[in-house]
Amino acid sequence: MVQSNKKTIIMFSGDLDKAMAGFIIANGAAAMGDDVTMFFTFWGLNILRKPENVPVKKGFLEKIFGWMMPRGAEKLGLSKMNFWGMGAVMMKKIMGDKQVNTLPELIASAQALGVKMVACTMSMDVMGIKEEELIPGLEFAGVATYLGEADQAGVNLFI
Amino acid sequence: MVQSNKKTIIMFSGDLDKAMAGFIIANGAAAMGDDVTMFFTFWGLNILRKPENVPVKKGFLEKIFGWMMPRGAEKLGLSKMNFWGMGAVMMKKIMGDKQVNTLPELIASAQALGVKMVACTMSMDVMGIKEEELIPGLEFAGVATYLGEADQAGVNLFI
Amino acid sequence: MVQSNKKTIIMFSGDLDKAMAGFIIANGAAAMGDDVTMFFTFWGLNILRKPENVPVKKGFLEKIFGWMMPRGAEKLGLSKMNFWGMGAVMMKKIMGDKQVNTLPELIASAQALGVKMVACTMSMDVMGIKEEELIPGLEFAGVATYLGEADQAGVNLFI
């Protein structure tokens, strides 16, 4: 069976642990020469937020969502045993001790290796997240783009 | 590489946000002419429950599960930031303001577009959910049917 | 379209319900003659822990993680409605009444059917989990091995 060397990953969850899993797979595949596209949707958009507050015009509920959701890769919690952030701090401490790449490092490496990172425009609209609030180097598209890529890929994951 | 235009999605989670993600993908693919099958298993069955109470004979634990689990697409919570339902209400308010399709609309649209929706019979047995409690238009099958479909599909997601 | 009969499942979550879903799919596929590889990473490693305490040398944070995480398939909670373990007990009681295979039975069956079970070595390092703490019959590998297998598989799930 001939397989495509293309892979897609939908990043739905904004959890530190799941984000790391997604980026470890993406980096591994890209390092092996694969063509990798990551689609960031719903909570997954939080992974891409800039750490600083970016002044943009938002509606009331959009502002609330914006305040309550973690602003960027450094602020994400764990999907389990997070304990109001303590779990994430512990996990990052352990990873630092073991010299595992941090999530920001994994994101930078993915970009350097040519992983295509696409932010879902419909989710951005719903969450009230604007382009200026996200890190540079992204593309912006919707579900049709995802489907077009997935159709050509041999591995498609939803994380 | 020739790809199948078939897609399968396992709907395991009964969260509003994940259900929306699944149905947005299913609707998008079906609108592009793909052959889409969704398998509803475990908590995902709650997406398909009728909103009204359907009188069926159940054991004690089955009744408790039935009472505690959300009854249909209108009652689902968010996977994150749900805050006892307030998050889901906020999300639905925002989506209404932005004129995003609601989950019940997405389900109806998927059915109209010919998306095959299969309820997992083993999960129904375990959760104590009967056919009469689920919306019309479903098929009923088990893991073997899923595997048969997934084998012919180019995109297979677990949500 | 000619499809591979190979399947891979990443077991990321250590929840009882998700673990059962993964093993039900793996067993079904293996029973139909498919070649199935399961990769256990992050919380998914807890599914493979031996129930007894295995004396191994660990750092302080590794010990804390080890104490807090469930030790093996019998100790897992549900991803929803767990209520400090009561939900998992109820679910197991119902499954017992309905004569559904338990998770330990599903794991044994998967091993008997030749499902390849791989523990992610990077996750083991981060979580501080040693080979001696895991059930026998596993392989140990990293993301490159996963990618090699996924490239040859027709169905790849992330659970």
Side-chain angles (χ1 to χ4, degrees), chain C residues 4-157:
Chain C
S4 152
N5 77 337
K6 194 175 176 66
K7 293 177 174 56
T8 74
I9 305 178
I10 296 181
M11 299 293 281
F12 174 92
S13 304
D15 303 308
L16 175 62
D17 43 354
K18 291 196 173 174
M20 290 201 68
F23 274 99
I24 288 167
I25 295 168
N27 274 287
M32 289 159 80
D34 291 351
D35 180 13
V36 183
T37 304
M38 302 174 88
F39 286 83
F40 295 81
T41 182
F42 281 82
W43 317 104
L45 287 172
N46 291 326
I47 305 169
L48 304 178
R49 289 175 82 189
K50 287 181 189 158
E52 69 270 19
N53 184 29
V54 179
V56 285
K57 208 173 138 48
K58 296 199 185 197
F60 177 66
L61 283 178
E62 287 180 341
K63 268 190 201 149
I64 296 200
F65 257 85
W67 284 327
M68 298 189 66
M69 294 189 307
R71 208 190 275 149
E74 296 280 14
K75 300 285 175 51
L76 306 177
L78 295 179
S79 67
K80 279 178 213 310
M81 289 179 40
N82 191 46
F83 304 119
W84 301 275
M86 240 167 49
V89 168
M90 255 177 75
M91 181 70 91
K92 283 191 272 196
K93 168 81 177 85
I94 291 180
M95 287 181 165
D97 293 350
K98 311 258 180 187
Q99 311 197 304
V100 173
N101 283 334
T102 63
L103 182 55
E105 285 165 358
L106 288 168
I107 295 172
S109 151
Q111 290 194 313
L113 288 165
V115 170
K116 198 201 284 188
M117 292 168 53
V118 183
C120 169
T121 45
M122 199 205 88
S123 299
M124 288 173 63
D125 188 31
V126 168
M127 307 293 224
I129 292 178
K130 317 292 178 195
E131 287 194 24
E132 308 91 278
E133 295 179 88
L134 300 179
I135 60 173
L138 306 179
E139 299 186 19
F140 299 90
V143 68
T145 300
Y146 165 70
L147 289 165
E149 302 249 1
D151 271 337
Q152 296 163 42
V155 176
N156 299 293
L157 303 174

Side-chain angles (χ1 to χ4, degrees), chain A residues 1-8 25 28-30 32-36 152-156, chain B residues 1 3, chain C residues 3-4 6-8 39 143-156:
Chain A
M1 182 195 185
V2 181
Q3 273 285 2
S4 151
N5 77 339
K6 192 174 178 67
K7 292 178 174 57
T8 73
I25 294 168
M32 289 158 80
D34 292 350
D35 180 12
V36 183
Q152 297 162 42
V155 177
N156 299 293
Chain B
M1 178 195 189
Q3 272 284 1
Chain C
Q3 273 284 359
S4 152
K6 194 175 176 66
K7 293 177 174 56
T8 74
F39 286 83
V143 68
T145 300
Y146 165 70
L147 289 165
E149 302 249 1
D151 271 337
Q152 296 163 42
V155 176
N156 299 293

Side-chain angles (χ1 to χ4, degrees), chain B residues 1-4 10 12-15 18 42-43 61-62 64-65 68-69 122 125-128 143-144 146-148 150-154 156-158, chain C residues 1 3-5 7 17-18 20-22 24-25 28-29 32 34 78-81 83 87 90-91 93-95 97-98 100 154-159:
Chain B
M1 178 195 189
V2 182
Q3 272 284 1
S4 152
I10 295 181
F12 174 93
S13 303
D15 303 309
K18 291 195 173 175
F42 280 82
W43 317 104
L61 283 177
E62 288 180 341
I64 297 199
F65 256 85
M68 297 188 66
M69 293 188 307
M122 200 205 87
D125 188 31
V126 168
M127 306 296 221
V143 69
Y146 165 70
L147 289 165
D151 272 335
Q152 296 163 41
N156 298 293
L157 303 174
F158 183 99
Chain C
M1 181 196 187
Q3 273 284 359
S4 152
N5 77 337
K7 293 177 174 56
D17 43 354
K18 291 196 173 174
M20 290 201 68
I24 288 167
I25 295 168
M32 289 159 80
D34 291 351
L78 295 179
S79 67
K80 279 178 213 310
M81 289 179 40
F83 304 119
M90 255 177 75
M91 181 70 91
K93 168 81 177 85
I94 291 180
M95 287 181 165
D97 293 350
K98 311 258 180 187
V100 173
V155 176
N156 299 293
L157 303 174
F158 183 99
I159 294 189

